[in-house]
Amino acid sequence: MQKIVLASNNAGKLKEFQALLAPLNFQVITQGELGIPSAEEPHLTFVENALAKARHASSASGLPALADDSGICAHALDGKPGVFSARFAGEPANDGANNQKLVSDLNGQADRGAHYVCALVFVNSANDPEPLIVQTRWHGQIITEPKGSNGFGYDPHFYIPELNLTAAELDPAQKNLISHRGQALRELIVQLKSRA
């Protein structure tokens, strides 16, 4: 199995990536398991932050690295919280507080549309001149009352009209088929296979 370091310590993301990459013989380990601190995320775009995180993890580990930067963009809020999704309600990061702030900020807004974004970057080395970069969207709506207990982040408030379910009501396998991260990883896998 080929080891890849995941530039994240998010248990939810690790679980999703392990499930999606295991069939391809990749062993995903988190940067935290290797004692690598998190990278700075000073950029205003998902792609730039993901690239910075991937290069940082690869440099510190000497392994190929995979990083994603993802979040939710509410249409009525000009794309907020965007790259600040994990800490929308401030430090320390807290899913419940973030959801509460998003629902509160959308109070009275007619447009409840939102989309998850996932920018996924894979580098073979810290100085890889050809990083593989994928960015995808998953469209839905923000609902006021949370539903479901699966997933993480904004999933209990992210409603998918065509399924009549929130992301938190989907079982993990179903979510991996349609989510922003699942879409991005499948596109990345196509690129990895064509590069080999």
Side-chain angles (χ1 to χ4, degrees):
M1 292 193 88
Q2 184 181 358
K3 283 187 179 179
I4 297 177
V5 61
L6 177 63
S8 172
N9 295 315
N10 183 307
K13 287 182 184 180
L14 176 64
K15 205 170 180 179
E16 287 183 18
F17 284 126
Q18 284 175 327
L20 291 162
L21 285 168
L24 290 173
N25 242 11
F26 285 115
Q27 181 189 356
V28 183
I29 50 176
T30 65
Q31 61 188 8
E33 291 175 67
L34 301 174
I36 300 168
S38 297
E40 293 295 315
E41 298 179 50
H43 305 290
L44 297 177
T45 68
F46 294 105
V47 169
E48 289 171 299
N49 283 328
L51 185 56
K53 290 194 278 190
R55 290 198 188 285
H56 170 78
S58 184
S59 175
S61 68
L63 294 168
L66 178 64
D68 93 299
D69 199 45
S70 50
I72 198 160
C73 298
H75 305 164
L77 303 179
D78 295 323
K80 290 178 185 164
V83 296
F84 304 106
S85 293
R87 289 167 180 77
F88 191 42
E91 294 284 359
N94 179 294
D95 286 351
N98 290 336
N99 278 299
Q100 198 172 28
K101 178 166 171 50
L102 180 60
V103 168
S104 173
D105 287 1
L106 284 171
N107 193 23
Q109 296 285 347
D111 185 355
R112 307 292 288 192
H115 58 271
Y116 271 123
V117 175
C118 177
L120 199 53
V121 173
F122 175 88
V123 294
N124 273 316
S125 65
N127 299 319
D128 189 343
E130 294 182 276
L132 299 180
I133 300 173
V134 173
Q135 185 167 289
T136 55
R137 287 178 167 190
W138 187 24
H139 295 275
Q141 297 172 355
I142 302 302
I143 58 171
T144 303
E145 294 300 321
K147 292 183 182 174
S149 56
N150 294 330
F152 60 99
Y154 296 89
D155 287 355
H157 291 273
F158 187 75
Y159 175 74
I160 305 112
E162 57 271 22
L163 298 177
N164 195 27
L165 296 169
T166 66
E169 292 177 293
L170 301 174
D171 69 64
Q174 187 181 17
K175 183 184 175 190
N176 285 342
L177 283 175
I178 61 174
S179 75
H180 53 309
R181 198 167 292 112
Q183 292 174 49
L185 197 47
R186 277 191 299 283
E187 283 187 36
L188 185 75
I189 287 165
V190 170
Q191 291 191 35
L192 281 168
K193 286 178 175 175
S194 69
R195 180 188 264 194

